[in-house]
Amino acid sequence: MTVPDLPVARLVDATALAVEHEPADGVVSGTPSVGVVELGTFKEVELGIWEITTGVVRDVEADELFVVLEGEGTVRFEDGSEVELVPGAIVRLHEGERTEWTIRTRLRKVYLA
């Protein structure tokens, strides 16, 4: 059996990406800022890196799956449930969910939306 040649994936060091920041929406406390680097799309799904600095913000979510790359925080949902955000955490957000993000150290995630 012959294995076909496959294209070589281009690796991106997400921790080395420069992210331009702007003030966050929905600020509850602190002065958090956010930044996004869109890496592209795959079958109409956006892939990117998102980053937020320390503080507390409220948001209304889009459909998204993400993996925390670095940083620490908590995301709390309307029903009172919480997810600890630490490197390696995988989180699924649903469109229309209302969340509150408490970011203790700058948080960076890779997302599919």
Side-chain angles (χ1 to χ4, degrees):
M1 176 176 167
T2 305
V3 177
D5 288 331
L6 299 174
V8 176
R10 191 180 91 192
L11 297 178
V12 175
D13 179 1
T15 59
L17 289 174
V19 178
E20 290 187 35
H21 283 221
E22 59 185 51
D25 293 331
V27 174
V28 175
S29 69
T31 55
S33 63
V34 296
V36 176
V37 174
E38 292 181 12
L39 299 176
T41 59
F42 177 74
K43 296 190 177 191
E44 299 181 27
V45 175
E46 181 183 320
L47 169 65
I49 304 293
W50 181 85
E51 180 174 285
I52 186 168
T53 60
T54 59
V56 180
V57 297
R58 290 193 180 119
D59 198 9
V60 177
E61 301 301 338
D63 277 329
E64 179 181 324
L65 176 70
F66 69 86
V67 178
V68 176
L69 300 174
E70 61 183 84
E72 293 184 358
T74 304
V75 63
R76 185 175 56 213
F77 298 89
E78 281 183 295
D79 66 4
S81 63
E82 295 183 348
V83 174
E84 282 300 308
L85 303 173
V86 295
I90 300 171
V91 180
R92 170 75 163 96
L93 301 173
H94 300 277
E95 187 171 352
E97 281 182 317
R98 295 181 184 279
T99 56
E100 184 173 279
W101 297 66
T102 301
I103 306 303
R104 293 183 295 278
T105 62
R106 182 188 68 141
L107 186 112
R108 187 176 271 199
K109 66 181 183 177
V110 61
Y111 68 88
L112 296 169

